[in-house]
Amino acid sequence: MPKQLPLQFEFQSNQNFNTFYPGGNEEIINHLQHIFNNNEQQIFLWGEAGTGKTHLLQAICQESNQQNKTSFYFSFRKTLPNSEMLNGLENFDLVCLDNIELIAQNPDWEQAFFNFFNLHRDNNKQLIISAHCPPKYLPFQLPDLKTRMGWGLTLKIAPLTDEQLLNALIYKANDLGFEIPVNVGRFLIAHYAKDLPSIWMLLDKINHATLAAKRKLTIPFLKQIMSEQNTP
Amino acid sequence: MSSIWNTCLSKLENEIPSGDFSTWIRPLQAVEKGDTLKLLAPNRFIIDHVKQNFISKIEDAVYEFSNGTLLLQFEIGSKKTPPLIQPKQVRKSAEKDKPKRSTFLNRAFTFDNFVEGKSNQLAKAASIQVSENIGKAYNPLFIYGSSGLGKTHLMHAIGNAAIVKNPSVNVVYLHSEKFVQDMVQAFQHNTINAFKDYYRSIDILLIDDIQFLAGKERSQEEFFHTFNNLLDKKHQVVLTCDKYPKEIDGLEDRLKSRFGWGLPVAIEPPDLETRAAILIQKAALANVDLAQDVAFFIGKRIPSNVRDLEGALRRVLANAQFTGKEITVDFTKEALHDLISLQDKLVNINNIQKTVAEYFKIRVADLSSKSRRQSITRPRQIAMCLARELTSHSFPEIGDSFGGRDHTTVINACKRIKALRDSDIKVSEDYQNLLRTLTQ
């Protein structure tokens, strides 16, 4: 029987607080969820890549919308856009900047971010910044910027343990509408991916494959999916 | 918010990846007027990006939900943006019934809640003088010191106190970069005269971080004239900077010299007692009665600047709020576990010895040697004192690390340096410089 082609759509999990598997990070989620009530002016969220910082920042932006607050989210990549992008953002109730370490050592961006930071703070607005390291280790050239990074509440997001990773995997698969048996989940983590972004990408592939083959996921089937993925 | 746009958003949210949606789509603010749906974006860059990447999706959605009745338009702006300085308004400000202008002052910064210690008492006293005798006491008042020590707080406090004394006084606080931006905009919009009138009509001009004017010749030129004009009219100028006027690279000599005309006054990093007092006061602002031992514990572990202190305190308070536990020293240790272990990695006896040896141009081995020459003993005493202040090692442990010296030697070294810091400017400066190097 020919393989049925599933509809092509980008992996797009709804990144809100309900779809975030907390692991040991309940406190962080609590602080972020209550940011508008607690009036925490600045939160610096740091942790290794793939621990869910982006998901949390997205979640808080969604939340802001429901609370009638204006919000802006930006994730820095290696190629930086024009720093004019920050103009006017000082009027936003909440600004979330992901991967802030990527602007370090770029004089234009450091200066622009410093100016934005002062204006935004003077306007009494709220800022959430994420980075892969704590504020002290950010290699900013502007010392004024460095001291400002540690000003607010600094929170470290802890990576998930293997057991938590497994639970997260099962949780996320359920969210996508299919089931991953525990033994298959363990096998996947042990052999194919240990960080969340790679796991989510794999889940997307598995989702497509199970949908196309109309089969339940087993270890042999997983191996087959992975070998198909690796063949050009 | 336009209800049609809200419906469009729900559709677009399913069509556009969530990262892009939060960056480019959600921040757009919609205003529906007649047959036009105006989408406001904070700047040109965002409008261009949206047009390049999402325009057809947006147009489709708007067409669908407005049944083709709405025309789409993009504009820079925000529903909440305060109006820019209008030239007409500036002219009016010279008149008696001048409209109230924004001071950009933060009311939370006052003299009452500025914690005084040895490191900042002169700067505070001078600031109070200035707020009570506008344009007469010290003009300009030039407050300098490293980042995060309270310069901005004093500036706002001057403005707030002056307004309490005379509500009609025209105070403006701004960051030096804002001055530059305003000037550039004035040139772009051909409103340079309005710009000049505006800045020259201010009774108290508070400009923060003046070092950012360095290398910007046109801005310096304009600032020079504004500055002279204000001083001639006996209006007050207060400036802050990260260094002494003469040390600012890229600043014209005439500005450097004028900045030194009034009173340049330094703010040093706060000592332990002041750090503890700052913490207790900041906690009180959050309605928390912070115990002395907890304040001293945090103050000892976070020796760098007031912002870091505030950050550490926020962590403790947030953790206490979440867990509902009482704030004790043990609780604080646990709450600040990450921060403290980082600090320990950054500052330990080895790198204190290395930094001190480099600073005094001696060998690290000299610090542990038996030498009793003053050129060695003084740096050794300073290093011991820094080790005591910046690490959690006991007196005997510190003694061990300095060539197996007795703990009483370390105690004496700490006492000696404490006394010398009060009586000998050179020792005091050396100590502060080292403290800054080690904790930044």
Side-chain angles (χ1 to χ4, degrees):
Chain A
M1 195 171 99
K3 206 159 62 167
Q4 186 187 337
L5 287 174
L7 288 171
Q8 282 298 320
F9 58 88
E10 287 275 310
F11 174 73
Q12 237 197 74
S13 157
N14 192 9
Q15 298 195 308
N16 57 38
F17 286 118
N18 293 330
T19 56
F20 188 82
Y21 181 80
N25 296 303
E26 286 97 347
E27 188 190 346
I28 294 180
I29 295 166
N30 182 277
H31 292 319
L32 290 174
Q33 276 181 317
H34 294 101
I35 184 172
F36 297 118
N37 307 329
N38 292 347
N39 268 330
E40 205 69 67
Q41 227 187 329
Q42 178 186 334
I43 292 184
F44 188 101
L45 190 61
W46 71 275
E48 291 163 27
T51 40
K53 300 187 289 295
T54 301
H55 186 138
L56 287 174
L57 262 54
Q58 298 271 7
I60 188 77
C61 283
Q62 279 204 24
E63 190 86 13
S64 70
N65 215 30
Q66 285 147 23
Q67 303 216 18
N68 259 334
K69 304 264 186 189
T70 51
S71 72
F72 178 86
Y73 165 89
F74 189 74
S75 173
F76 290 104
R77 308 224 165 97
K78 277 203 176 118
T79 319
L80 295 172
N82 191 315
S83 63
E84 277 174 26
M85 197 195 81
L86 292 179
N87 293 350
L89 294 185
E90 66 273 11
N91 296 314
F92 277 72
D93 297 321
L94 175 75
V95 172
C96 295
L97 299 174
D98 214 352
N99 308 321
I100 197 75
E101 71 274 4
L102 293 174
I103 69 161
Q105 316 268 332
N106 179 313
D108 249 19
W109 260 99
E110 284 198 15
Q111 182 69 55
F113 177 51
F114 179 66
N115 298 339
F116 156 76
F117 184 99
N118 293 325
L119 289 171
H120 192 242
R121 193 175 174 97
D122 287 347
N123 283 347
N124 223 3
K125 307 290 189 188
Q126 295 177 296
L127 176 69
I128 306 181
I129 316 157
S130 90
H132 67 9
C133 64
K136 279 228 163 208
Y137 281 119
L138 284 173
F140 283 139
Q141 287 168 332
L142 271 185
D144 307 73
L145 197 51
K146 210 166 187 169
T147 60
R148 276 163 174 78
M149 294 299 93
W151 204 347
L153 177 61
T154 299
L155 299 168
K156 182 188 176 187
I157 179 159
L160 300 181
T161 60
D162 278 1
E163 207 52 32
Q164 288 169 338
L165 216 51
L166 179 68
N167 288 334
L169 183 72
I170 294 169
Y171 182 83
K172 200 79 163 190
N174 271 339
D175 193 39
L176 287 171
F178 69 102
E179 213 178 298
I180 291 194
V182 173
N183 64 328
V184 183
R186 278 193 213 286
F187 189 84
L188 187 146
I189 292 168
H191 292 85
Y192 299 116
K194 263 208 157 166
D195 64 295
L196 287 178
S198 330
I199 289 184
W200 298 157
M201 299 248 289
L202 277 183
L203 270 188
D204 192 31
K205 289 203 168 74
I206 296 168
N207 188 26
H208 276 69
T210 48
L211 218 62
K214 291 182 182 159
R215 266 180 75 182
K216 282 200 168 179
L217 190 64
T218 58
I219 291 179
F221 185 32
L222 175 66
K223 283 182 178 169
Q224 187 193 323
I225 296 169
M226 297 309 292
S227 66
E228 277 174 14
Q229 184 202 336
N230 292 332
T231 39
Chain B
M1 176 76 70
S2 148
S3 60
I4 289 186
W5 179 243
N6 263 344
T7 324
C8 292
L9 281 179
S10 312
K11 178 179 160 75
L12 292 168
E13 197 164 8
N14 293 319
E15 294 178 349
I16 294 171
S18 54
D20 284 340
F21 184 81
S22 300
T23 303
W24 310 109
I25 310 297
R26 193 186 285 121
L28 300 173
Q29 294 175 26
V31 180
E32 220 179 294
K33 211 174 180 185
D35 59 356
T36 310
L37 178 71
K38 206 182 271 181
L39 291 180
L40 302 174
N43 56 56
R44 169 66 45 202
F45 181 87
I46 291 181
I47 291 187
D48 289 348
H49 189 94
V50 170
K51 281 187 173 171
Q52 273 167 27
N53 297 281
F54 308 109
I55 191 69
S56 59
K57 284 196 168 102
I58 295 177
E59 276 176 351
D60 288 353
V62 172
Y63 187 86
E64 180 184 342
F65 295 115
S66 74
N67 293 321
T69 57
L70 281 181
L71 227 78
L72 195 60
Q73 216 181 70
F74 285 91
E75 204 170 277
I76 299 175
S78 146
K79 287 200 230 173
K80 291 181 187 167
T81 314
L84 294 166
I85 311 157
Q86 300 294 331
K88 274 184 191 163
Q89 226 179 334
V90 176
R91 259 180 238 122
K92 259 194 188 170
S93 67
E95 297 161 17
K96 268 187 185 169
D97 58 340
K98 58 184 175 188
K100 205 76 196 137
R101 288 192 292 195
S102 177
T103 62
F104 303 104
L105 283 175
N106 186 336
R107 306 267 172 222
F109 292 137
T110 64
F111 288 126
D112 286 342
N113 61 26
F114 184 85
V115 179
E116 190 179 321
K118 264 186 200 155
S119 56
N120 58 28
Q121 61 193 170
L122 191 60
K124 183 182 179 185
S127 301
I128 293 175
Q129 275 289 317
V130 163
S131 71
E132 288 173 351
N133 302 286
I134 298 165
K136 292 178 195 140
Y138 310 109
N139 210 5
L141 175 64
F142 188 97
I143 307 170
Y144 68 98
S146 301
S147 185
L149 300 181
K151 301 188 293 291
T152 305
H153 186 137
L154 279 181
M155 241 186 182
H156 285 280
I158 292 173
N160 286 324
I163 288 176
V164 168
K165 207 171 164 227
N166 174 9
S168 64
V169 72
N170 183 3
V171 186
V172 172
Y173 163 86
L174 70 154
H175 197 264
S176 67
E177 200 60 30
K178 176 85 171 57
F179 181 87
V180 177
Q181 275 176 11
D182 282 359
M183 191 194 76
V184 172
Q185 271 186 6
F187 276 118
Q188 279 171 352
H189 300 135
N190 213 10
T191 53
I192 193 71
N193 285 333
F195 167 85
K196 285 180 181 172
D197 287 349
Y198 171 76
Y199 278 103
R200 292 173 191 188
S201 68
I202 294 166
D203 298 322
I204 307 180
L205 178 62
L206 309 161
I207 301 203
D208 215 351
D209 287 323
I210 200 77
Q211 71 271 18
F212 287 108
L213 281 189
K216 294 172 183 139
E217 286 168 22
R218 190 68 192 86
S219 305
Q220 287 184 27
E221 171 83 23
E222 202 46 58
F223 185 70
F224 179 75
H225 296 304
T226 304
F227 181 85
N228 286 341
N229 191 289
L230 290 175
L231 254 58
D232 284 348
K233 290 193 287 197
K234 301 237 178 306
H235 292 192
Q236 182 70 45
V237 177
V238 181
L239 306 167
T240 69
C241 187
D242 64 349
K243 37 182 108 55
Y244 188 72
K246 294 243 176 325
E247 293 169 8
I248 314 171
D249 291 333
L251 196 70
E252 286 180 37
D253 286 342
R254 56 181 182 166
L255 273 177
K256 283 186 192 173
S257 116
R258 269 170 177 72
F259 288 171
W261 275 1
L263 178 72
V265 56
I267 293 196
E268 299 287 352
D271 53 32
L272 179 60
E273 287 75 13
T274 314
R275 294 201 292 275
I278 291 172
L279 286 162
I280 289 172
Q281 202 228 43
K282 298 257 182 214
L285 285 177
N287 295 320
V288 173
D289 191 8
L290 195 69
Q292 285 248 350
D293 56 349
V294 175
F296 272 88
F297 174 80
I298 304 174
K300 196 163 161 37
R301 304 314 301 256
I302 313 287
S304 42
N305 63 60
V306 182
R307 290 203 181 102
D308 283 354
L309 276 182
E310 220 176 316
L313 180 66
R314 296 246 41 91
R315 181 81 194 94
V316 174
L317 297 184
N319 196 224
Q321 197 184 31
F322 178 70
T323 57
K325 287 186 184 161
E326 193 193 342
I327 303 175
T328 61
V329 171
D330 283 339
F331 172 83
T332 306
K333 241 183 232 176
E334 189 53 39
L336 295 181
H337 172 75
D338 296 334
L339 261 175
I340 290 174
S341 57
L342 272 176
Q343 191 73 27
D344 287 348
K345 260 189 229 165
L346 293 170
V347 186
N348 52 47
I349 296 184
N350 281 344
N351 70 28
I352 289 174
Q353 290 178 330
K354 198 165 157 266
T355 310
V356 171
E358 269 169 24
Y359 183 86
F360 289 104
K361 300 193 170 47
I362 58 174
R363 289 176 305 148
V364 175
D366 290 337
L367 292 173
S368 307
S369 72
K370 294 222 160 74
S371 171
R372 300 179 80 172
R373 275 182 291 135
Q374 208 197 342
S375 61
I376 304 291
T377 55
R378 186 71 76 242
R380 186 186 295 138
Q381 286 169 334
I382 288 181
M384 285 176 171
C385 194
L386 284 166
R388 182 64 189 163
E389 180 162 351
L390 299 180
T391 73
S392 53
H393 291 292
S394 63
F395 287 121
E397 284 168 343
I398 296 172
D400 273 350
S401 309
F402 284 83
R405 285 180 159 77
D406 191 65
H407 73 280
T408 54
T409 312
V410 185
I411 295 174
N412 283 332
C414 293
K415 277 190 190 156
R416 180 90 186 109
I417 295 302
K418 193 167 191 293
L420 280 173
R421 282 176 63 195
D422 291 335
S423 61
D424 185 334
I425 294 175
K426 179 81 180 69
V427 174
S428 168
E429 267 184 23
D430 289 341
Y431 194 85
Q432 287 302 345
N433 289 341
L434 282 162
L435 198 61
R436 208 172 300 143
T437 313
L438 283 162
T439 55
Q440 270 183 2

